[in-house]
Amino acid sequence: MIDPGTDHPTGGARLEDGDEVGRVIVSEADLQARIAELGATITADYRGRPPLLVGVLKGAFMFMSDLSQAIRLPCEVDFMAVSSYGSATRTSGVVRIVKDLDLDLLDRHVLVVEDIVDSGLTLSYLQRYLLARQPASLEVCALLVKEGQQRTALDLRYVGFTIPADFVIGYGLDVAERYRNLPAIHVYDGPRG
Ligand code: IMP
Ligand code: MG
């Protein structure tokens, strides 16, 4: 479990099992403040045409939960799970759909909720996949975008934070399935196995 009281001198944190994670790059307070702003903007933009929020598992689970509560519209919620082929920390852009949507996208205002855009290849694949289902509109809300890493042109309607190209964990983001439950975004500088 996480012991938020044990702050590391470098600005990182020590977890109760002795693991150390790197410094915080987006704090819990900054995440929540920005999500409130995004929620207000989305509420204004989608008034009269409530969106269908499509969360991309697993990374977006926390963001989806907080963002959906900040949107004051009767939205619907659905999830997809994808896994990218490639090494542990680099995507190849070839995406496998592990869990498909339950809801029909036809004529719906779809808002994809993503945790992080790195190369952009995963999102670019997803956009093509979802557009083929003929939504009335398709936009993206990405919590994090890594600066200067995109290998494809993307139209990101809503972005939480632009961050440096470090590998990050927490608030849904993992390394080898760990650290998703941290309430802030940390840099990860340990082994990536
Ligand atoms: P992309 O296809 O290169 O944009 O990578 C997108 C996916 O890779 C994200 O949805 C994440 O699941 C994962 N990813 C990319 N960068 C990070 C990171 O810094 N930490 C954790 N996961 C990441
Ligand atoms: Mg993801």
Side-chain angles (χ1 to χ4, degrees):
M1 287 303 293
I2 297 161
D3 174 6
T6 319
D7 286 333
H8 194 263
T10 62
R14 186 176 292 116
L15 309 185
E16 255 182 41
D17 64 1
D19 254 19
E20 290 184 16
V21 292
R23 72 193 154 79
V24 170
I25 59 161
V26 187
S27 70
E28 195 177 348
D30 288 349
L31 282 170
Q32 295 305 325
R34 183 70 185 121
I35 291 167
E37 287 176 0
L38 288 169
T41 305
I42 291 167
T43 300
D45 290 353
Y46 283 88
R47 194 158 279 130
R49 45 171 201 133
L52 164 56
L53 305 178
V54 171
V56 185
L57 295 172
K58 299 176 193 169
F61 83 101
M62 279 206 190
F63 182 41
M64 177 68 141
S65 172
D66 287 338
L67 181 70
S68 63
Q69 293 172 75
I71 300 173
R72 306 288 172 176
L73 295 169
C75 7
E76 289 171 282
V77 166
D78 203 352
F79 291 95
M80 291 181 77
V82 302
S83 98
S84 338
Y85 291 106
S87 67
T89 57
R90 267 287 153 198
T91 176
S92 63
V94 180
V95 173
R96 189 164 55 97
I97 309 287
V98 176
K99 181 218 169 289
D100 208 336
L101 295 166
D102 297 328
L103 302 178
D104 192 356
L105 300 191
L106 185 68
D107 296 333
R108 302 305 322 280
H109 293 284
V110 174
L111 180 58
V112 176
V113 178
E114 243 302 27
D115 52 357
I116 187 165
V117 178
D118 184 8
S119 70
L121 295 173
T122 303
L123 195 56
S124 155
Y125 175 92
L126 272 182
Q127 280 178 313
R128 268 179 284 130
Y129 181 82
L130 297 174
L131 275 174
R133 302 197 173 182
Q134 299 176 276
S137 66
L138 180 68
E139 302 289 353
V140 176
C141 181
L143 179 63
L144 305 171
V145 175
K146 285 193 192 175
E147 192 152 34
Q149 295 303 294
Q150 287 73 57
R151 286 156 57 191
T152 176
L154 284 174
D155 178 17
L156 304 173
R157 176 85 179 265
Y158 308 99
V159 172
F161 299 89
T162 300
I163 61 168
D166 300 316
F167 196 81
V168 294
I169 53 168
Y171 198 71
L173 293 159
D174 72 309
V175 59
E177 295 300 331
R178 302 190 65 204
Y179 307 118
R180 292 191 197 275
N181 60 323
L182 293 170
I185 309 277
H186 299 250
V187 169
Y188 178 76
D189 18 54
R192 295 185 181 185

